[in-house]
Amino acid sequence: IVQIALERLQNRCREAVTLRKIDGLSTREIAVRMGVSPRTVDAHLVEGYAHLADILYGQSDVAGKKA
């Protein structure tokens, strides 16, 4: 189920979430690997986690608004 949910994420969000949760990389390590800033990694992670919550549980709190 989680794999299917991950496949539904946008590519960059999926990559960031996978590198953090599966590979255990830090924000800085993910940023280097993805060629983006640590702040961009954080944004991808927040978006990715919110979408995963929505996909898996039917709820998320993106930008302070319930989906």
Side-chain angles (χ1 to χ4, degrees):
I1 294 174
V2 174
Q3 182 63 38
I4 293 167
L6 281 170
E7 290 172 3
R8 293 182 59 192
L9 296 179
Q10 293 179 357
N11 290 338
R12 298 301 265 177
C13 292
R14 180 175 54 250
E15 182 179 7
V17 169
T18 300
L19 290 171
R20 169 60 57 83
K21 293 300 184 183
I22 306 296
D23 297 336
L25 299 183
S26 69
T27 300
R28 177 178 219 120
E29 292 169 321
I30 296 167
V32 169
R33 182 147 326 162
M34 292 178 68
V36 298
S37 74
R39 293 183 94 180
T40 300
V41 171
D42 288 339
H44 288 315
L45 290 171
V46 167
E47 184 177 346
Y49 295 150
H51 286 292
L52 282 175
D54 191 46
I55 293 165
L56 293 171
Y57 306 111
Q59 56 188 327
S60 66
D61 190 6
V62 179
K65 296 182 180 180
K66 286 285 186 186

